[in-house]
Structure formats: structure tokens, C-alpha cells
Amino acid sequence: MRVFRKTRGAPKQGAGSRRRAARPRLPRAVVAVLGCVPGLVAVMALVLCAVGVDRAMDRAKGRPGRSPVAALPAAAGRQAARPPIVPRSRWLDAKSTRAQPPPRYDDRVVAIFVHHTDSPNAYECDDSPRVIRHLYAGQTGVKEWDDIGYNFLVDRCGTIYEGRAGGVDRPVTGAHAQGFNHRTAGVAAIGTFTAGTTVPRAMSEAIAALAAWKLGLSGVDPRGTVRLVSSNDLSRYRAGAAAELPTVVGHDVAFMTSCPGAALTARLPDIRSRAARLQGR
């Protein structure tokens, strides 16, 4: 998108993993007692033992960034069905592919940033792969990013495409919301959705289905809020500042931009509600 400054993609991860000391074996009696712990207590124990996301390197500042902190969801296990997702191999051919580093990952996805691509709306849906390929060429060429920034793209007919490489069911670190790329996924609506533009129903339904599934993997309510920490002073929040954001949020809430456009922004409340229903909430 035109609002991004020149960068080479999302900040690189920092410190590597550490070797853990061998743990003593528990007596069989203790193991037997632990086996009787109620399910909810067991889940909480797993949460307390979870490893946080690695620190990111803020290239713009040349210093280690702070890992974002997200509030744990009040209810876990509210998963929705995975919608059909077209793999990137359908839009990215060998001739267009650029060399890139391995994907980077966070521990989970707790928020969805909604974007528009700020490209023409008058395209045939069969031509969506060419449009995405053009976006990829611009971001990896002129902007010199390491891959397309968005994790997913949705066309006017409601077809969902895999964007950034790394696996659609994994928490791939994107390059779509400067300062808030960690623990989030970027979903771009193909087109320009400024005030007075019609947002196709199929598109908003697909975004809702994608948000319901992706957030459901972490037990996150699409109607809720989440606490994230900015990693870049170029966002609306200085680096290190905490922000309470909707779990399905427009790009303009975190960055000085008009993206995803007034028309698509107006659809976000309905998209959140639809996503929550798809999760059975």
C-alpha cells in the first residue's frame, strides 16, 4: 500500500532459543494425581507455561524492539471452520518469484488488521491472481520488502488468497501494520473502499469467515479488544507504548493512513458480529 515507508518487511526476530536443563522425573503417584486435574485447571497450567514471543529487531531504529503483550481471551476453544483459501502457488509463478528469507513466526494471532489494497475496483475475479502478483511485485521490487506484506487477500467475489509465505494456519509475522505486525494477521480487501464505495457482500462475508477461523485458533472473540505494544515510533503509538485495540481492527487505528477506507471501516462492526456468530458466540 502507498502508506508504507520503505522497509524490507517485518522486523527480524532477536535472541535464539536457549538450551533447557534436564528436568527431574516425577513420581508415578504425582503423575496420577495430575492426571485427575480438571480440564480447565490443566488449560490454565499450559497457559502459564507458554513461551512468549521473541523480541523483534526494529530496523528503523536499529535497536531491539519490545514484544507485544496481548490479553488472554476470556474463553478458549471457540473455533470456526476454516474457509477455502487459495494457495499462493496459484498467483505466484516461478518467473515472478523473488528470493526471500525463511518466514518468521509469533506464538499466536490475537488480532486481525483489515486493509484495502488501494488498487482499482474494476477487475474480473478471474483476474485476481494477476492483481495480487502485481501487488507482490511492487512490494518486493520498488519497496524492497522480503515478501508481500499481507497474510491474506480477499477479492470482490469473496475468494480468499494466501498472501505472505509460511502457512495459513500458522502465526506468520507479516509486514502490514508498522509497529503492530506481531501477533496480528493482515487481511487486504482487493480494491479501494473510500466513502461512497460499495463493499461487496461476498467480500465482507469472506473477511468475517477468515477472522472467525484465524482468531478462533487462539480462542479470541472477534468482538473483543486486545492489548498490544507498539514496536515502532512511526505508528500512532510510540515504540514501547501499549495500545488497547479491537481484535478486528482497521489499519488506520494503528497507523496514520485512511486505509481501509471509510466504506470498509463502516462494515467492520457487522464483520465482527458475523465472525462471532461463526464462532458460536
Side-chain angles (χ1 to χ4, degrees):
M1 296 187 59
R2 290 197 291 260
V3 296
F4 289 102
R5 295 175 180 264
K6 186 173 181 180
T7 177
R8 293 184 181 271
K12 292 185 176 179
Q13 298 291 8
S17 59
R18 298 177 179 175
R19 186 182 300 276
R20 293 182 296 180
R23 297 180 180 177
R25 297 178 61 87
L26 294 175
R28 292 185 178 180
V30 175
V31 173
V33 171
L34 290 177
C36 298
V37 176
L40 179 58
V41 176
V43 170
M44 290 304 297
L46 290 174
V47 170
L48 291 174
C49 294
V51 178
V53 66
D54 289 339
R55 288 188 175 182
M57 177 64 69
D58 184 346
R59 288 191 179 183
K61 297 296 180 182
R63 66 190 182 198
R66 293 182 56 182
S67 298
V69 178
L72 293 176
R78 295 291 191 119
Q79 294 190 16
R82 170 179 160 170
I85 300 173
V86 177
R88 60 188 267 133
S89 59
R90 292 277 297 275
W91 59 263
L92 185 60
D93 53 34
K95 181 180 178 181
S96 303
T97 302
R98 294 176 179 268
Q100 62 187 65
R104 295 177 292 274
Y105 299 94
D106 291 301
D107 59 340
R108 56 184 178 148
V109 169
V110 296
I112 300 290
F113 272 96
V114 178
H115 306 259
H116 68 176
T117 58
D118 201 17
S119 54
N121 292 338
Y123 60 90
E124 298 294 331
C125 292
D126 289 344
D127 203 29
S128 294
R130 183 195 62 80
V131 175
I132 300 173
R133 192 161 53 249
H134 177 76
L135 293 167
Y136 169 85
Q139 292 181 353
T140 60
V142 176
K143 295 182 178 180
E144 297 184 346
W145 296 359
D146 57 7
D147 193 3
I148 192 169
Y150 313 116
N151 298 95
F152 302 93
L153 299 98
V154 180
D155 72 12
R156 58 194 297 270
C157 292
T159 303
I160 302 171
Y161 290 86
E162 175 186 13
R164 198 168 183 85
V168 295
D169 58 342
R170 301 187 64 184
V172 179
T173 306
H176 57 89
Q178 196 163 48
F180 293 96
N181 285 317
H182 292 279
R183 282 187 167 179
T184 69
V187 179
I190 301 176
T192 301
F193 297 98
T194 50
T197 305
T198 299
V199 180
R201 182 177 181 83
M203 175 179 276
S204 58
E205 287 285 324
I207 294 173
L210 181 59
W213 168 69
K214 194 66 177 176
L215 293 178
L217 296 176
S218 300
V220 174
D221 188 339
R223 303 164 302 180
T225 59
V226 65
R227 183 176 177 270
L228 296 173
V229 175
S230 172
S231 64
N232 197 307
D233 288 333
L234 296 179
S235 74
R236 287 188 183 272
Y237 300 83
R238 62 178 175 78
E244 193 80 14
L245 304 175
T247 54
V248 178
V249 58
H251 185 200
D252 58 339
V253 174
F255 189 72
M256 298 293 291
T257 177
S258 60
C259 174
L264 186 50
T265 298
R267 297 290 301 157
L268 291 182
D270 291 336
I271 288 173
R272 295 182 187 114
S273 296
R274 175 60 176 159
R277 289 197 297 272
L278 290 172
Q279 288 185 348
R281 297 182 186 273

